[in-house]
Amino acid sequence: MPRLSCWFVRASFIYLILGVTLGSLLLGHKGFSLHPAIWRLLPAHVEFVFLGWMAQLAMGVGFWIFPRFWRSRGDERPAWLGFGLLNTGIWMVAAASIPGAPAWLSLLGRLAQVGAVFCFLVHAWPRIKPSGA
Amino acid sequence: MPPLTRWFIKVSLIYLVAALLLGAALEARTLLGLPASVNTLRPVYFHLFMVGWVTQLIFGVAGWMFPKASPQRPHGSHHETRKLWGRLSSLPWDRLARRPPMGKSLPHTVYFHTSEVASWATFGLLNAGLVLRVISEPLGALRPGSIWGWLMALSALLQWLAGLAFVLNIWARVRVR
């Protein structure tokens, strides 16, 4: 597995644990009304599970298994930038649900996520081709 | 395809059908004049889809496709698990938790065949937790403060343990080649 895929996949596993932990707290709260503030964890739970776990795992595995150019995966720099932007964006959007967080934080996080996917796309687009082409 | 992967994939497909049927029922509520309490199934619909179908499919395929632990034990090994425990035990636990330092190696019984056991445990915990949620969450919404609250908490614990077991078990198979 290439180094960047290891980073993507291991980060996705960490988000899985975080997402499931927050989800368990939310479900436990439904059963026992632990604390009203627990509902504020819902946006972070969704963010960690959808983008942190699933999208990040898909990107990591895609980087690993998409067809290569002979032995090279092409220019890896946009994909590395995508990794950084995606994780920055996830934490910005998750932090935006903290009371008192600036309103622009969520928007900036979403823009970082769009940038992440765009960077990954720049890297992966030429690799989506017939094998051996 | 290893047996456990087949279990993960087949069960995930059953959850997909269940999720889509439930989605149809939620859409049909207004058309068929079904009671508003049907809406309590909406979180169940999301989780049947995302946990039962997507996450379970990922768990199954990852166990099959990720780099092999060793030719002898392709889907998990004593050696890999021992390495993971070795890494965990080398962390500065004494400073983090103010406990005496852990030994450099754990008793043989702690890690022996943990990979295979943990893989099946992941499958069992995930599905037990999800089925429990499907039953307890809507009933708990209709009758707050009843036994269903306890079962929801148990479901949360089981699913959390499933996630933890999966990650601890597969972590050592994600490595640079």
Side-chain angles (χ1 to χ4, degrees), chain B:
Chain B
M1 194 184 281
L4 182 56
T5 295
R6 297 202 298 269
W7 275 97
F8 267 121
I9 294 176
K10 285 181 177 175
V11 172
S12 82
L13 289 169
I14 293 169
Y15 281 120
L16 176 63
V17 173
L20 294 176
L21 282 173
L22 193 53
L26 288 165
E27 289 303 318
R29 189 184 74 81
T30 45
L31 284 175
L32 302 178
L34 297 173
S37 57
V38 171
N39 270 335
T40 59
L41 292 168
R42 198 165 287 278
V44 171
Y45 162 67
F46 286 128
H47 288 88
L48 278 175
F49 207 92
M50 302 313 297
V51 179
W53 157 237
V54 181
T55 298
Q56 185 140 234
L57 188 70
I58 292 171
F59 282 11
V61 173
W64 171 36
M65 300 287 287
F66 271 29
K68 305 294 179 257
S70 75
Q72 291 77 28
R73 291 176 184 273
H75 304 293
S77 75
H78 174 156
H79 177 64
E80 285 299 325
T81 311
R82 189 175 181 168
K83 266 176 34 185
L84 176 62
W85 278 117
R87 278 184 211 138
L88 288 173
S89 62
S90 67
L91 290 171
W93 294 108
D94 52 328
R95 272 185 284 153
L96 291 170
R98 296 190 178 187
R99 276 189 247 151
M102 290 174 78
K104 285 190 178 175
S105 61
L106 291 172
H108 188 69
T109 48
V110 173
Y111 51 76
F112 184 66
H113 282 192
T114 303
S115 288
E116 285 295 323
V117 173
S119 299
W120 283 99
T122 303
F123 178 76
L125 289 165
L126 188 74
N127 287 288
L130 188 56
V131 168
L132 206 54
R133 177 182 198 145
V134 169
I135 298 165
S136 63
E137 193 175 16
L139 292 171
L142 295 175
R143 286 184 182 179
S146 58
I147 182 72
W148 304 116
W150 284 99
L151 293 178
M152 268 191 266
L154 179 60
S155 158
L157 178 67
L158 294 176
Q159 290 177 86
W160 183 79
L161 287 172
L164 198 65
F166 171 75
V167 170
L168 283 177
N169 197 31
I170 206 158
W171 189 269
R173 286 176 62 186
V174 181
R175 55 175 193 258
V176 178
R177 265 194 191 169

Side-chain angles (χ1 to χ4, degrees), chain A residues 24-107:
Chain A
S24 297
L25 282 172
L26 287 160
L27 187 58
H29 175 63
K30 278 189 180 180
F32 287 110
S33 297
L34 301 171
H35 193 281
I38 284 186
W39 276 117
R40 291 199 192 124
L41 299 173
L42 184 61
H45 167 62
V46 173
E47 204 66 22
F48 289 165
V49 170
F50 276 101
L51 288 167
W53 157 233
M54 291 175 184
Q56 187 144 234
L57 184 74
M59 289 161 85
V61 173
F63 183 82
W64 174 28
I65 66 170
F66 280 172
R68 284 178 277 183
F69 309 102
W70 184 225
R71 289 195 150 183
S72 161
R73 287 186 168 83
D75 188 0
E76 295 186 6
R77 286 172 301 180
W80 276 102
L81 183 59
F83 174 77
L85 282 171
L86 182 68
N87 287 284
T88 308
I90 289 168
W91 282 102
M92 286 171 104
V93 174
S97 59
I98 296 170
W104 47 262
L105 194 61
S106 182
L107 174 65

